[in-house]
Every structure is written in C-alpha cells, then in structure tokens.
Amino acid sequence: EAWVYATTFYSGSDNIQKASSVINTDAKYLPGDSQILKLKKAIDLKVMIGPYQSLCDLADSAYNSKKYNEAVRYYSELLAKKPEFTEVRIYRAFCYFFLKEYSKSNQDLDFVIFNGVSLSSVYNQRGINYVNLRNIEEACKNFKIAADMGDKEGLSNYSKICKSEKK
C-alpha cells in the first residue's frame, strides 16, 4: 500500500520519473498484484506520452469536439513519432468510423489486435465496421469474439445481426 501511495503521490506532484521508478520497484517485488500492475500501466503510458503531451491534448480536444478530420491529423502525427501508441491508434480508428471510413478504421484496429491488445470493445467496433462494409460473416466473427470476452454490446450485436442472418 505504501508503494502505491508513493507512486500516486509522485505522479500527482508531476514527478513522473520518480513515480515510474517507485512503481517499477513495486512490480518487481509484487509481480502479481493487480492494483500495482494497473498503476504501472498508467504510469508507463504517462512516461511514454510525456514528450508529446501537447500534441495529445490537441488531438483529444479535437476528438471531444467531434472535429474528427482534425483529430485524425493530430493522431496521425503522433503515430508517425510513436507507432506503438496503441491507445492513439484506437482513437484514430473511432475517428475514421465517425468519418465513415470503415476500412481505415479496421486497418487501425487490425494493427492493435496484431500487436497484442485484446479488448472486447476493439472486436465489437471491428464488427460494426464490417457491417458497414457489408461483410456480415466477418462482422459476426468479431461480435462473437467480443461477446465471448463478456462485451454486452458485442453480444447484443451478435444476437441482432448474426442470428437473424442465419434464419
């Protein structure tokens, strides 16, 4: 608990390097602690984003203002500098979805999945994109994966779209 408190304190004091050092020690001595692993992931992301924070803020502001073309531009600029920003790639995929560029959205989601991110919401969104691309078979595969991972929307989409297709 003391390590978690110290990490949180340093992070809140904008001393992200010290927070990173503490949480890495935490993870070394308590490698199975889910609270420490979750905090470590958040701190690692802050360390990685640090030099690009202003660009991230511009991208997020454009996204939140529903200026998706502008957000895509900023997210693409970030990804040119740091292609491993999977969270950024997910946001860009949603921008492409809102812009009705479903193939581009799926390219980003495919990249995320290929690089080991396994989120039910990613599979569900990929399924929605496939529905819009009129590829129901691929949509159903993705909805099924999302549903099997416990995603309620994935289950709902699978029930509505895939079961009605089989009738």
Side-chain angles (χ1 to χ4, degrees):
E1 286 182 23
W3 279 333
V4 170
Y5 175 79
T7 301
T8 306
F9 172 78
Y10 287 124
S11 178
S13 302
D14 289 332
N15 190 345
I16 201 66
Q17 295 304 327
K18 185 68 176 173
S20 178
S21 175
V22 172
I23 199 67
N24 284 328
T25 302
D26 299 354
K28 178 181 173 185
Y29 290 107
L30 299 168
D33 187 293
S34 62
Q35 184 181 9
I36 287 174
L37 292 175
K38 184 177 179 181
L39 187 56
K40 180 177 176 359
K41 183 177 178 182
I43 296 295
D44 288 349
L45 182 61
K46 279 187 175 184
V47 168
M48 191 176 7
I49 287 177
Y52 311 104
Q53 189 62 57
S54 61
L55 190 54
C56 285
D57 292 344
L58 288 170
D60 291 344
S61 176
Y63 180 86
N64 292 330
S65 299
K66 299 182 181 182
K67 297 176 182 174
Y68 300 117
N69 282 316
E70 186 178 327
V72 164
R73 190 172 68 248
Y74 290 131
Y75 288 138
S76 296
E77 193 175 329
L78 277 164
L79 290 169
K81 296 171 191 262
K82 286 291 229 182
E84 67 272 19
F85 278 166
T86 53
E87 292 85 359
V88 169
R89 203 168 290 274
I90 292 169
Y91 276 104
R92 189 174 73 173
F94 279 105
C95 289
Y96 283 137
F97 168 76
F98 292 125
L99 294 169
K100 298 183 182 343
E101 295 186 42
Y102 308 115
S103 292
K104 286 183 179 181
S105 179
N106 271 355
Q107 286 172 2
D108 276 344
L109 298 175
D110 290 345
F111 179 92
V112 168
I113 291 168
F114 180 77
N115 284 286
V117 175
S118 184
L119 297 170
S120 61
S121 59
V122 168
Y123 286 100
N124 185 59
Q125 183 59 49
R126 199 163 68 156
I128 293 167
N129 288 338
Y130 278 123
V131 167
N132 286 297
L133 291 167
R134 306 211 187 316
N135 186 338
I136 301 303
E137 184 178 337
E138 283 300 315
C140 290
K141 287 179 188 176
N142 282 275
F143 291 145
K144 177 83 167 95
I145 293 169
D148 289 348
M149 294 172 81
D151 191 287
K152 291 178 183 172
E153 285 184 44
L155 179 60
S156 174
N157 287 333
Y158 184 80
S159 295
K160 282 190 289 189
I161 295 166
C162 304
K163 291 190 177 182
S164 65
E165 284 293 312
K166 292 178 182 179
K167 289 181 183 178

